[in-house]
Amino acid sequence: MLTSGDRAPDLSLPGAAGGHFTLSEALQKAPVLAAFFKVSCGTCQFTFPFVERLYRAYGNGAIAFWGISQDDREKTHDFCNRFGVTFPAALDWPDYKASRSYGFTTVPSLFLVGSDGRIRFTLSGFSKAGLIQLAKEMSGLLSLPVKPVFLAGEPVPELKPG
């Protein structure tokens, strides 16, 4: 799996709602969070509402958020609707070329790619501390105060493997 400091492979993927996603073009405007998922993955289902919270905190155009689905268009739409995901989704189905180029073996796998094309942060599976650190990385990129990912008293496990 690619890690911090590695150059992110360029992605060119169809959008689940139409259009096209190209990483090199997007990075000319903003850093990108590429969040890979599989619809049937219970850990993805658990994690993506928290990624949506990050999107609402940091995704106002300053950081682009992409859900990258390993499923077809219809299943991807259903997943996003069911789990309240409003950031754009791209399709890495059926060949998983983008997933293979990033070298991960479990989902969810998240990659924060800086405007320089280098990976700044990675996270595989669900980690409460990892999502808090991701929020810190995003706030640092934008020179903003860190916004909470989790609500006070919210029952959230520390880890949940992918």
Side-chain angles (χ1 to χ4, degrees):
M1 180 167 151
L2 297 177
T3 60
S4 295
D6 289 339
R7 179 153 299 282
D10 199 12
L11 301 173
S12 185
L13 300 166
H20 205 80
F21 293 80
T22 304
L23 182 63
S24 56
E25 291 175 10
L27 290 175
Q28 292 174 18
K29 299 174 188 159
V32 173
L33 178 71
F36 290 84
F37 70 99
K38 183 93 178 139
V39 167
S40 60
C41 166
T43 303
C44 297
Q45 295 167 4
F46 183 78
T47 303
F48 266 63
F50 297 114
V51 177
E52 175 69 19
R53 287 183 188 172
L54 289 169
Y55 172 64
R56 291 176 187 218
Y58 302 106
N60 60 357
I63 296 177
F65 279 65
W66 296 357
I68 302 177
S69 175
Q70 295 180 331
D71 292 285
D72 66 32
R73 187 176 314 273
E74 184 178 335
K75 289 178 183 174
T76 299
H77 281 294
D78 290 346
F79 177 92
C80 291
N81 288 335
R82 182 172 175 207
F83 296 101
V85 176
T86 62
F87 53 88
L91 303 174
D92 190 26
W93 179 86
D95 63 4
Y96 311 117
K97 184 178 176 183
S99 298
R100 287 195 315 273
S101 72
Y102 278 69
F104 58 86
T105 56
T106 61
V107 286
S109 285
L110 283 62
F111 299 86
L112 178 60
V113 183
S115 295
D116 63 356
R118 298 233 173 249
I119 297 171
R120 298 183 57 95
F121 184 82
T122 62
L123 179 62
S124 187
F126 173 85
S127 164
K128 186 176 183 180
L131 286 175
I132 291 169
Q133 185 59 42
L134 178 56
K136 290 177 182 176
E137 291 288 331
M138 290 179 169
S139 66
L141 275 173
L142 303 175
S143 300
L144 294 172
V146 178
K147 298 181 182 176
V149 181
F150 305 101
L151 306 175
E154 186 172 34
V156 178
E158 291 299 319
L159 296 169
K160 190 171 172 73

